[in-house]
Amino acid sequence: MIGRKRRPYDNNGHGTHVAGDAAGNGYLSKGKYKGTSPQADIVGVKVLNKDGIGLDSTIIRGIQW
């Protein structure tokens, strides 16, 4: 549980946008706009706070995880 929430969430939309660029399946555009790897599995790793701020060390730990 992160931030008292049990379901995934994105405070600012950046992670969702990047995930769509990487692995979007193009469903809403009927396949016109797909990510570069639409078959990829995505795991969200929250490393920034609600304002998009975090320590470099926290980001590195998230990447290493």
Side-chain angles (χ1 to χ4, degrees):
M1 181 164 35
I2 300 292
R4 295 187 211 139
K5 297 180 183 184
R6 295 188 181 276
R7 299 185 56 102
Y9 68 98
D10 184 349
N11 294 105
N12 299 301
H14 178 74
T16 301
H17 178 103
V18 172
D21 287 347
N25 63 13
Y27 177 79
L28 292 177
S29 66
K30 298 184 174 151
K32 183 175 181 182
Y33 302 107
K34 290 183 182 180
T36 55
S37 300
Q39 300 300 319
D41 293 324
I42 297 288
V43 175
V45 180
K46 193 157 188 66
V47 297
L48 303 176
N49 69 13
K50 65 181 176 130
D51 299 315
I53 298 169
L55 299 174
D56 291 345
S57 59
T58 305
I59 296 166
I60 290 168
R61 283 198 316 261
I63 292 168
Q64 289 174 333
W65 180 87

